[in-house]
Amino acid sequence: WSSDVCSSDLIIIVSYNDEKELEACVASIKEHCIDYNLIIQDNNVNNLGYSKGVNESIKRGNAEWVWLLNSDAIVKNSMTQQALIDRFSYGLQVGVVGSMQLDPKNPDRISHSGTTKCFPSGSHSGGYVSMGHGQIPTKQKWVNGASMMIRRSILSKTGMMPESMYLLYSDSSFCYSCRAAGFEVWYEPRSQVFHTLKVSKGITEWHKKDMIAFMQKWGITVDSNGEFIKSREFEALDLFP
């Protein structure tokens, strides 16, 4: 499904078994966003996985700003979209911008205000709005793909989302590719969505498969004691944003 509006902003939602959440997400887009083309990749028909679903949707549009939005994310207000776009005006070096994510059951609680480590499992910064946490735009190693905007023109250097990662890790891997290509990844607190970080941190089949794919891409191996050995490239990218 997609609209036929000529736009400057492409919004992509990969949908799978989430009719109720998707309806609420789309309603929030219609209420708060302007000048966009919405593409919904319906994985209920042919489950391409998250990363390939995103890539196929990117190919269907031509807008410079590509906003990846989870189906269970709710756009908070009219600033959510515009603040992401505004951050790109800081220079052509800005390649990816991510939103603040708030707990829909407790809007004071910030579930994502940037990140710390991405491997072997991603860790998010958080806090509370009432305590002034997460209010400063900052460069990041990576941002969560639940609300992440990409400058289309960087894709010729970064490549698309890594399809070897079916469901997990592709957002962090793409951000690392962005930085490896010389671009910056930013967290923008004026852009806010309501979103529950509900992906299990436990070891699932897809977690293990996608983790192995991430390791292969970034040259991470395991020694005889089960300790991870990181490549020089990954170590350098993992040191500072």
Side-chain angles (χ1 to χ4, degrees):
W1 184 95
S2 74
S3 68
D4 57 0
V5 179
C6 180
S7 66
S8 62
D9 189 358
L10 174 64
I11 303 176
I12 294 173
I13 302 173
V14 177
S15 171
Y16 180 73
N17 194 27
D18 54 6
E19 183 177 352
K20 183 177 179 180
E21 293 89 348
L22 178 63
E23 183 178 345
C25 177
V26 172
S28 71
I29 292 170
K30 290 180 177 179
E31 180 179 1
H32 297 301
C33 299
I34 61 172
D35 192 22
Y36 64 87
N37 184 26
L38 174 62
I39 294 180
I40 299 174
Q41 171 60 43
D42 186 358
N43 273 358
N44 292 289
V45 177
N46 181 16
N47 196 351
L48 303 177
Y50 174 77
S51 303
K52 189 171 183 178
V54 166
N55 289 344
E56 291 301 308
S57 298
I58 289 175
K59 295 172 186 175
R60 291 167 57 191
N62 57 17
E64 176 65 351
W65 315 123
V66 180
W67 186 9
L68 310 184
L69 195 62
N70 273 20
S71 60
D72 61 346
I74 301 295
V75 176
K76 182 181 178 182
N77 53 38
S78 60
M79 184 56 69
T80 303
Q81 176 193 31
Q82 190 58 48
L84 293 173
I85 297 173
D86 288 348
R87 176 54 53 183
F88 287 101
S89 69
Y90 279 64
L92 294 176
Q93 78 280 2
V94 181
V96 173
V97 184
S99 304
M100 175 188 286
Q101 296 173 35
L102 300 168
D103 183 346
K105 294 182 179 179
N106 178 10
D108 185 47
R109 190 177 80 83
I110 304 167
S111 56
H112 176 85
S113 56
T115 54
T116 54
K117 66 185 182 70
C118 75
F119 180 85
S121 62
S123 294
H124 299 252
S125 301
Y128 292 89
V129 175
S130 60
M131 296 180 68
H133 296 146
Q135 301 303 311
I136 300 174
T138 49
K139 284 196 292 186
Q140 300 287 320
K141 297 177 184 178
W142 64 287
V143 289
N144 179 261
S147 179
M148 180 174 84
M149 188 174 282
I150 301 167
R151 186 192 298 270
R152 178 184 291 272
S153 56
I154 74 170
L155 294 174
S156 61
K157 295 182 179 180
T158 63
M160 303 284 274
M161 296 286 283
E163 294 183 7
S164 60
M165 297 160 217
Y166 182 82
L167 184 62
L168 304 172
Y169 288 97
S170 58
D171 51 1
S172 57
S173 182
F174 179 82
C175 288
Y176 273 60
S177 293
C178 173
R179 292 170 51 235
F183 300 101
E184 296 173 354
V185 175
W186 280 81
Y187 157 72
E188 175 49 68
R190 294 181 305 141
S191 174
Q192 300 177 4
V193 298
F194 296 107
H195 179 246
T196 302
L197 293 173
K198 63 181 181 181
V199 176
S200 173
K201 297 292 184 181
I203 301 299
T204 64
E205 179 183 359
W206 281 119
H207 188 160
K208 288 189 288 186
K209 288 181 178 179
D210 290 346
M211 181 179 182
I212 291 170
F214 185 94
M215 291 172 65
Q216 290 174 339
K217 176 173 177 59
W218 293 105
I220 301 171
T221 56
V222 181
D223 66 17
S224 58
N225 295 318
E227 298 293 328
F228 294 111
I229 304 173
K230 299 176 182 178
S231 66
R232 289 185 179 180
E233 179 187 19
F234 185 80
E235 281 277 23
L237 289 169
D238 205 38
L239 196 58
F240 298 108

